[in-house]
Amino acid sequence: MNIKKYIFAIALIVIAISACKKDDDVEATIVPPRDRAEQQVTDHALIEEYLKTHFYTLEDVDVNGDGTIEYQITKFDTIAGDNIGQQPIMDSELLTSKKITREDVEYTLFILGLKDGVGEHKPTFADSTLITFRGELFYGDDKLFDSAVNPSWFDLGGGVIDGFRQSMLDFKGAAPNPIINPDGSVTYSGFGELVVFIPSGLAYFADAREGVPSYSSLIFNIQLYDVNECDHDRDGIPSYLEDLDGDELVLDTGDDTDSDTVPNYVDTDDDGDGTQTKDEITVNDLNGDGFITLDEITFYDDDGDGIKNHLDPDDIDSKNE
């Protein structure tokens, strides 16, 4: 045996064991999330200060460079120097606020309602919306972190932050029958336009995203063109009507009747009784507009216990055979 190789091998093993032991001895440092109530106080103060010290202007956007202005984006600047006489955003008659409670903390959204749409429908918290948008930080050298310059569909029921979702609920989309251009692009008129100022508790909170540090309050400039009422599981009940606990969230455990970890809005059998939800109700779109309202759904309670059939595993008879 080559004694040098043997000694070298033993040395490597000792070093490896030593290194592993050091790793085991080092305790991982886990930083707990900040207190939500305390963070909201900080965020609220930051947003109010920003609104008091900044003004906005509107800038035309020509997406295709063809001379057609598709929409306008909102640009912000500090009230100072040559801008000293500008009106603070806080003093704008277009600015409103909205209170939202999450995890026992009351948050305030500030919404600059530049223009309401002329369309017929406002989105609910579980609908799909056709929008363009810009997302940016309040401060920093590179504030822009996300945008959609061409109209894109976004599902408000899941996959968007709470403040983004809630900001659009009081706005309507564009006029019907938009113009289809020769190049395939679409020109909308009379669409809704808004800017929302979101505290971190209604955004990503402790989670960081690309371009978004933890505990960042965010600004979104949104143009709303169209609304589709969503029935994610196609059971006949619009998704917003499957929010059983009334918190305007459809992804939480309070909206899972049979506790199968599948929320009702994506569960084809809400009560898990083997009869699909669509067969335990009757739906009639009376005005044929493609939007189902509560008065267009017939619910049943066969055993008279006050629980609707589609939420009661004791009632299994199909109503649509």
Side-chain angles (χ1 to χ4, degrees):
M1 173 182 284
N2 188 322
I3 190 67
K4 290 183 179 180
K5 289 184 179 180
Y6 181 77
I7 294 172
F8 181 70
I10 292 176
L12 287 178
I13 293 171
V14 169
I15 291 171
I17 292 173
S18 177
C20 289
K21 188 174 187 304
K22 287 178 181 178
D23 288 343
D24 291 341
D25 288 343
V26 175
E27 294 184 3
T29 301
I30 299 175
V31 179
R34 297 176 186 173
D35 180 85
R36 281 186 169 269
E38 292 177 0
Q39 184 63 37
Q40 168 57 7
V41 172
T42 300
D43 290 346
H44 187 76
L46 178 147
I47 294 173
E48 281 201 328
E49 178 66 17
Y50 187 92
L51 296 176
K52 291 175 181 177
T53 58
H54 287 72
F55 70 100
Y56 72 91
T57 55
L58 298 175
E59 182 178 290
D60 293 340
V61 176
D62 178 1
V63 174
N64 302 315
D66 59 2
T68 299
I69 303 303
E70 278 79 14
Y71 52 87
Q72 294 179 311
I73 60 172
T74 308
K75 307 291 284 187
F76 303 100
D77 203 352
T78 307
I79 300 175
D82 294 340
N83 300 324
I84 198 65
Q86 296 289 341
Q87 182 190 52
I89 302 169
M90 183 65 85
D91 294 343
S92 173
E93 62 181 10
L94 301 179
L95 187 71
T96 60
S97 61
K98 183 176 185 179
K99 304 290 187 182
I100 299 168
T101 300
R102 294 286 183 255
E103 299 187 36
D104 298 322
V105 177
E106 184 179 77
Y107 295 96
T108 301
L109 280 182
F110 287 97
I111 301 172
L112 189 65
L114 299 172
K115 186 175 65 177
D116 194 8
V118 300
E120 184 177 354
H121 298 286
K122 297 178 182 179
T124 74
F125 51 86
D127 286 338
S128 183
T129 53
L130 184 66
I131 63 172
T132 48
F133 74 91
R134 282 171 56 90
E136 59 186 83
L137 305 174
F138 277 75
Y139 297 102
D141 295 331
D142 187 13
K143 295 187 290 185
L144 181 67
F145 64 86
D146 198 6
S147 66
V149 297
N150 291 302
S152 303
W153 287 100
F154 281 79
D155 181 0
L156 299 186
V160 301
I161 59 174
D162 212 358
F164 189 91
R165 173 190 303 113
Q166 286 288 331
S167 70
M168 283 185 274
L169 304 190
D170 295 320
F171 292 84
K172 295 190 285 291
N177 304 315
I179 298 172
I180 309 298
N181 301 309
D183 63 358
S185 63
V186 181
T187 299
Y188 296 89
S189 62
F191 48 87
E193 299 180 76
L194 64 135
V195 180
V196 59
F197 304 88
I198 306 174
S200 68
L202 296 177
Y204 299 114
F205 195 55
D207 294 335
R209 295 289 189 275
E210 184 176 356
V212 182
S214 300
Y215 307 108
S216 292
S217 295
L218 306 176
I219 303 172
F220 281 96
N221 183 186
I222 303 168
Q223 294 78 37
L224 173 61
Y225 304 105
D226 202 358
V227 178
N228 273 343
E229 183 180 77
C230 282
D231 176 5
H232 290 83
D233 53 10
R234 300 185 180 182
D235 63 1
I237 304 175
S239 294
Y240 79 96
L241 291 178
E242 303 209 65
D243 172 34
L244 303 184
D245 54 11
D247 61 359
E248 297 192 341
L249 296 171
V250 291
L251 280 169
D252 54 345
T253 57
D255 304 315
D256 180 10
T257 298
D258 55 8
S259 300
D260 63 352
T261 72
V262 181
N264 286 11
Y265 88 110
V266 287
D267 192 341
T268 57
D269 181 6
D270 292 339
D271 55 7
D273 62 0
T275 303
Q276 295 209 330
T277 297
K278 66 181 181 180
D279 292 323
E280 295 185 287
I281 63 173
T282 302
V283 180
N284 185 4
D285 184 4
L286 298 174
N287 56 9
D289 66 350
F291 282 72
I292 302 300
T293 54
L294 192 59
D295 62 335
E296 294 176 319
I297 306 175
T298 301
F299 296 100
Y300 304 92
D301 178 14
D302 288 347
D303 61 8
D305 63 357
I307 303 175
K308 299 170 184 175
N309 283 15
H310 74 288
L311 302 176
D312 189 349
D314 296 331
D315 294 323
I316 62 174
D317 289 344
S318 175
K319 302 299 179 181
N320 300 312
E321 294 179 344

